[in-house]
Amino acid sequence: MVDRLILVCGVLLLLGIASNKLSSRWGIPGLVLFLLLGMLAGSEGIGGIEFENYELAHGIGTVALVMILFDGGLSTRFSAIRVAWKSSIVLATVGVFITAAITGLATSWILEITLMEGLLLGAIVSSTDAAAVFSILRSGGVSLRKHLVSILELESGSNDPMAIFLTVGCIEVLAHKMPIGIELFGLFASQMLIGTAFGLGMGRLAILIINRIELDTAGLYPILVSTFCLLTFGVTTQCGGSGFLAVYLTGLILGNNRLVFQRGIRLFHDASAWLSQIVMFVMLGILSFPSRLLEVGWKGLLIGCVLMLIARPVAIMLSLAPFRFPWREQLFISWVGLKGAVPIVLATFPLMLGTPRASLFFDIVFFIVVLSAVLQGSTLRLAAQWLGLTTTPDPVPPVTLEISSLRNVEGDIVDYLVSEDSRAAGHMVKDLALPEGVVIATLVRNEQLIPPQGKTVLLPSDHAIVVLRPERRAIVNYIFASHDAVVEIPKAFEFPMRPTTTLRELTEFYGVALDEPLDITLEEALKKALGIEHVLPGNVVQLGPLSFRIRSIDRTGGIEAVGMTIQTEEQSNS
């Protein structure tokens, strides 16, 4: 039995990976193929696997969702949150509530059931599934404007607690355990507040321990991070909070701070998220009964159409009204209401608790998930193109550079794409005016590695893999950005510059106007301004908006190190 089970698991995982490869070619979301694979392997398919243990399915689905949400948090940047957090929070709360209410009203009429039962089904299918959205946006070939991607990912990663709260609340009311009123609001508030507090707190604690524990084996660091993920969920739920919100926030904190063995940790959890998706969707496919889906087909189709064409668009329109989003973006966000594993996992709640019509709800929810994934997931690219919301995706670098260290190393490895209008395009490496502590480790051009030398010219579409100190990153971003890009360089922050850098390079790469001859070096300009006899460490020279401080000189009086500060207008005037 054990041998057969291992064989079956291996075959299903292999087929799952193969189906994900096919999904990008066919334009069908991978989760649909995973579900179909599970249905083929189930009791009514060619595999004949009999599985109807809803408690076990709920447990496996919960663990899988925890890993997927945690990886989603690890991959989300604070810069994306700053752009989209207000609208995403409204969508994840008010938007989910409106979607559940409209869908619930329609369900009670279509299925001829009580209003509370209809609201229960509406709550189950109200949230946008994080696994589906992350999968399609990050690997489905849909290249969107960055603020749209931020909104969709943040909404899908944070709206599960609201859907879970609404589902549990409806079940409690149906079971006559809790009346509609202040107790339900208190349940929601405690879920959100406790979940947020534990998520942020565990994230900070994890950073402290991971960076100080000094493990001797690199492979233990990803496991240690996973341990904090599971602990966060467990402790939060035991204290009455939303475990799903907590693990997402913990992943967010970890993903935006420096960690020991950081790249290895991210690769491990990316693989864990993919494994979780395959296992979860295949298992849910095995759990279903295709014959029962056909029986509820018409009713499921009607409810699904109300959900996709009425409830979700109305919720988006009302939720985003204060933010004045263009109608094209609102329409697209409405269409990205993908359903996935969360509704199916939530649909097991009524089955475990013996809620009336629980089996009917499960079949209809499963039908809606498949309908949403096939119809919406396969048309996302066409919808984005039709609405004019697509952008040209950045080429994926053929190689990556990694330094494996079991200690915290104060350095970053950054891959910069040299675009057509990049400030660095067409210039030799030695003329880039890079600050001290920044080295171009290698260039990748047409899948060829090019060891950079001073006279190597950077061409459009090159990938420059740069090793730098974290505090130098902002100014290096500016050098590799396009001429019209808005890149914030910290004001009054001193960057170490090479004395051999010419003034022409400074004016060209940092967009400043200088009255001095541009062909002289920085050292020559400083000696001219101070006089050779006054070149001493600590002396400061102002050249336009740039302030230079001599850091050190050699035995012959030559300038060894210079610090450059970009002054604000107020500082320059004073």
Side-chain angles (χ1 to χ4, degrees), residues 20 29-31 34 130-141 274 277:
N20 181 68
L31 68 93
F34 297 155
V133 172
F134 290 161
S135 175
I136 290 176
L137 292 183
R138 296 179 181 179
S139 60
W274 274 111
Q277 287 189 52

Side-chain angles (χ1 to χ4, degrees), residues 11 19 69 161 212 217 229 437 488 510 557 574:
V11 171
S19 63
L69 284 171
R212 294 190 179 185
T217 305
C229 167
E488 291 188 6
Y510 299 113
S574 62

Side-chain angles (χ1 to χ4, degrees), residues 13 76 100 108 116 163 174 180 203-204 247 267 306 318 347 363 406 435 445 455 462 475 530 532 566:
L13 284 174
T76 303
S108 65
M116 188 53 63
L174 284 170
I180 299 176
R204 292 296 178 186
V247 295
L267 288 174
V306 170
L318 295 177
D363 294 336
L406 301 187
R445 179 179 299 161
K455 295 183 179 180
D462 283 356
I475 202 164
L530 292 170
I532 297 178
I566 302 176

Side-chain angles (χ1 to χ4, degrees), residues 7 29 56 102 105 194 200 206 239 250 273 276 292 357 372 380 384 391 395 400 410 419 454 512 543 573:
L7 175 61
L56 179 59
I102 296 175
L105 289 172
I194 296 174
L200 298 177
C239 294
T250 298
S276 298
R292 283 166 34 183
R357 298 185 179 88
S372 169
L380 279 185
T391 60
T400 57
E410 283 297 319
S419 60
V512 296
L543 298 178
N573 294 334

Side-chain angles (χ1 to χ4, degrees), residues 56 73-74 86-87 108 122 125 143 174 178 211 265 272 299 324 361-362 441 468 492 497 511 526 542 559:
L56 179 59
L74 281 175
K86 293 180 181 178
S87 54
S108 65
V125 297
S143 181
L174 284 170
M178 184 180 295
N211 287 337
I265 289 171
S272 298
K299 294 179 179 179
R324 298 181 180 180
F361 287 177
F362 183 86
L468 49 80
M497 295 300 298
L526 296 180
Q542 186 79 29
I559 299 176

Side-chain angles (χ1 to χ4, degrees), residues 161 165 178 182-198 236-237 239-243 245-246:
F165 158 72
M178 184 180 295
I182 193 66
E183 290 187 36
L184 275 177
F185 178 78
L187 175 63
F188 172 72
S190 65
Q191 286 268 314
M192 298 298 104
L193 293 176
I194 296 174
T196 300
F198 275 88
T236 306
T237 53
C239 294
S242 171
L245 177 61

